[in-house]
Amino acid sequence: MTADDASGSGPRPARVSPSPPGGLLDVLGVAAVVLDAQGRIALWSPQAEELFGWSAEEALGRFAARLMVAEENVDLVIELFARVLSGGDSWAGVFPIRHKDGGSRAVEFRNMRLLDEHGDRFALGIAADQAVLGNVERNLALSTRLVSQSPIGFAVVDTDLRYVLVNPALERINGLPAAQVIGLGVRDALPFLDAEAIESAMRRVLVTGEPMLNVNTVGRTPADPGTDHAWSGSFYRLEDGAGRVIGVAVTVVDVTDRFRAADEAARARRRLAVIADASVRIGTTLGLERTARELADLVVPELADIAAVDVLDAALGGRPSTEAPTGPATFRALAVTADRPSEALRAADPVGEPARYEADRLVTRCVTTGRPILVPRVGPRDLSRIARDPDAAAQLADASLHSYLAVPLIARGEVLGALDLKRTTNPLPFDEDDLALAVELAGRAAVSIDNARWYQSERGAALALQRHLLPQDPPRLTGLEIAYRYQPAQATQEVGGDWFDAIPGEGDTSVLVIGDVMGSGINAAAAMGQLRTAARTLADLDLDPSQVIRHLDRITAGLGEAMATCVYAVHDLRRARCRLCNAGHLPPVLVPRHGRPRLIDLPTGAPLGVGGVEFEARDVDLDAGDLLVLYTDGLVETRDQSIDARLDLLLSLLDGPRRSLDDTCDHLLGALRHPDDHDDVALLMARVRSDPGDAPGPLPP
């Protein structure tokens, strides 16, 4: 305990350190002069020497009036001095003072009486150059008006980042009066903005002294709490005349219009990019499901969080209609894409399965009217009109579905279905720009979907025709065991014109035919059917294979643009030989029972339909257990390997353990075919029975 504490005088006040000079007095150059009762100069400050020109040695002890005042003003000065000294009133004003250099300058004075401990009177004069003071006053007035009248928000914070000044423009921007903000830090004054980032910028400026210009901030203030605004802020450090850091000045400009214009421009560029992307990514194949998936993948997440491509079941059935459906509608979701797993994704219709929507559902209204349905903000009553059933509506509610858009898929005047878009995580509602983009994408995709739909319909018809024209239950052939396979192109391409046949001949002979009509589609399938019928008719005439090929050549030439390749073989069991003729086809393979597989060397000949070409037949020995393999080019031709390499692979696959014919067919197809093959294939195998009297088994379907 200190003596003060013991005496009860209380704690001593905290020691206060003097603050550095503020600099304003130095700018003004304020001088101090003290006169005694007789008007002599008793005290003279250094600033007085700077202001009046006389040193202290020259001024002290002299009558001030005679030293500093022109002769004509001495009486007035003495009168004013006496009034201050006797009455105690202060006096202030501008008075002309004579400088040591002989010139005169206007000086602003503040004069007052002083008393010492003996009661002696003195006069204190505080003086400053009137021109300098006027400049300071003008600058101060200009600064004050500039700050208060500026349309730009302006604020000053001290070194603790507390507001010390806020101009009216910033009051309007923030929606807060200056009195409510002064003395508060940024976090307390502006909790509705990113105060942490603002404070970080201010501290950086305080430390480095480097201004930070055009720092953008987006948010909402009490001035307009329902709308996002954008501001551009600049920060620069403030220093006094002595270079002491006193705070940070902040200027704020509302750039919402510019920000929105830039945002709109960026959105427009993104929309154009999406449209350009659509022309590349949608419709890359004629696969219906893949085209729908390309559309759904394109719009997620750029346009929606969840997208479904729903096609009317009637449209998938190939029943064209230029009238929109009425009443309830049955859809099949061809594709569903989401940016993440969610309840909304589980509420979507399973891909490929039919889903019935009643007439009051929004997607049904969309296809019924052929017009888009936009629900910017989904309410509880809207959920039941969006979902197919109450369970799906509950799932959409759990997923926070807040915006919905359905756009019809219309191609060639027919409503095919709808593009169904939902937003759950994207906080922005669908707007008119989103609607325009969705309509553009749906229109482009609808044409591709329609093309794929008609292609699949035509392909199905061509495939059905081809299968109908191919052998269903080939007859039993004397002395031969038969197996065959036909596979259409596994990629989504047109059905080709591949065919094969096995025909009983005269006596112990059998005819084997394989061919490939060039082209695809129904026309190729029809041409194939005519050639197969002609070959069966010619087989009954017991002609040499070369003669049959010549007849088929003439028949093909009469089919217009058709051309085909073909191998026609006649097996004679009694003579143990096979006579073959080739018209531009790949060579058959002979697999001897006791030997290596080899390609049968035949004159290739020209394709059927060329006309005027001679064809030559050759004999090949075919003993018991030998295998003859006929095939079309779809089995061996690929885009990335030579035909010689593929034929070598075919021979190596046949040069293995003896298998049943069915297993051999499957083995070749499994090894040589790929999911993306773009051609169909026909494969026909005939093995000479060891016991010609054995009855042949049933042929594969």
Side-chain angles (χ1 to χ4, degrees), residues 462-472 499-501 524-530 532-533 536:
L463 187 58
L465 174 62
Q466 187 181 45
R467 289 191 180 278
H468 178 74
L469 295 175
L470 289 174
Q472 301 300 311
W499 95 92
F500 64 92
D501 211 344
M528 176 271 290
Q530 295 179 70
R532 177 174 178 263
T533 301
R536 293 186 69 88

Side-chain angles (χ1 to χ4, degrees), residues 85-412:
L85 202 62
S86 61
D89 295 334
S90 61
W91 176 84
V94 179
F95 204 87
I97 295 298
R98 186 171 59 196
H99 194 271
K100 180 182 177 181
D101 62 9
S104 176
R105 64 179 59 182
V107 175
E108 184 158 339
F109 282 94
R110 295 293 186 272
N111 297 309
M112 62 201 73
R113 188 181 69 178
L114 301 178
L115 294 174
D116 65 6
E117 71 273 16
H118 305 295
D120 294 332
R121 299 176 182 181
F122 297 86
L124 170 64
I126 298 175
D129 190 305
Q130 198 271 338
V132 174
L133 185 59
N135 286 335
V136 171
E137 289 176 341
R138 281 194 301 273
N139 291 340
L140 181 60
L142 179 61
S143 299
T144 302
R145 287 176 173 79
L146 183 63
V147 169
S148 63
Q149 298 176 14
S150 171
I152 297 174
F154 184 82
V156 176
V157 297
D158 60 19
T159 53
D160 293 324
L161 305 186
R162 294 188 299 263
Y163 283 96
V164 296
L165 185 148
V166 174
N167 78 336
L170 192 56
E171 287 182 306
R172 292 190 293 272
I173 289 174
N174 291 335
L176 298 172
Q180 185 176 332
V181 175
I182 298 300
L184 297 179
V186 176
R187 293 175 183 269
D188 296 327
L190 307 175
F192 40 81
L193 297 180
D194 189 357
E196 183 176 352
I198 296 173
E199 282 192 352
S200 177
M202 290 179 174
R203 287 196 180 94
R204 178 178 174 184
V205 172
L206 271 177
V207 173
T208 65
E210 296 182 2
M212 294 185 65
L213 307 177
N214 301 321
V215 179
N216 292 326
T217 301
V218 178
R220 299 183 180 186
T221 69
D224 189 7
T227 306
D228 284 330
H229 283 260
W231 302 276
S232 176
S234 295
F235 307 89
Y236 56 94
R237 191 168 72 182
L238 293 178
E239 301 174 358
D240 61 14
R244 182 172 61 96
V245 177
I246 60 175
V248 175
V250 183
T251 60
V252 179
V253 179
D254 191 316
V255 294
T256 302
D257 291 341
R258 187 173 67 194
F259 182 82
R260 288 173 179 168
D263 185 60
E264 284 299 318
R267 292 184 62 187
R269 287 193 296 271
R270 288 196 299 270
R271 288 193 295 270
L272 290 175
V274 171
I275 292 172
D277 206 16
S279 63
V280 177
R281 291 176 54 184
I282 298 178
T284 59
T285 71
L286 287 172
L288 190 59
E289 290 79 8
R290 179 167 177 176
T291 301
R293 188 167 61 254
E294 289 168 345
L295 172 60
D297 290 345
L298 180 69
V299 299
V300 174
E302 180 62 37
L303 186 58
D305 299 319
I306 301 172
V309 180
D310 299 321
V311 177
L312 289 166
D313 204 41
L316 288 176
R319 301 187 293 275
S321 173
T322 57
E323 296 182 0
T326 58
T330 301
F331 296 88
R332 286 183 189 268
L334 297 186
V336 177
T337 300
D339 63 341
R340 68 191 66 186
S342 67
E343 287 296 314
L345 181 59
R346 286 184 278 275
D349 298 329
V351 173
E353 297 183 12
R356 177 185 170 89
Y357 282 78
E358 298 301 325
D360 63 339
R361 297 301 197 270
L362 297 184
V363 69
T364 306
R365 282 180 49 199
C366 176
V367 297
T368 300
T369 63
R371 300 178 64 84
I373 302 293
L374 172 62
V375 184
R377 301 190 183 278
V378 173
R381 296 180 60 184
D382 297 317
L383 291 172
S384 62
R385 298 190 300 151
I386 294 173
R388 67 178 179 275
D389 54 41
D391 290 340
Q395 289 175 314
L396 292 178
D398 292 340
S400 301
L401 173 66
H402 67 87
S403 196
Y404 176 78
L405 176 59
V407 179
L409 298 169
I410 303 175
R412 302 175 178 93

Side-chain angles (χ1 to χ4, degrees), residues 511-524:
V511 174
L512 304 174
V513 187
I514 196 163
D516 183 2
V517 176
M518 299 180 187
S520 58
I522 291 180
N523 291 336

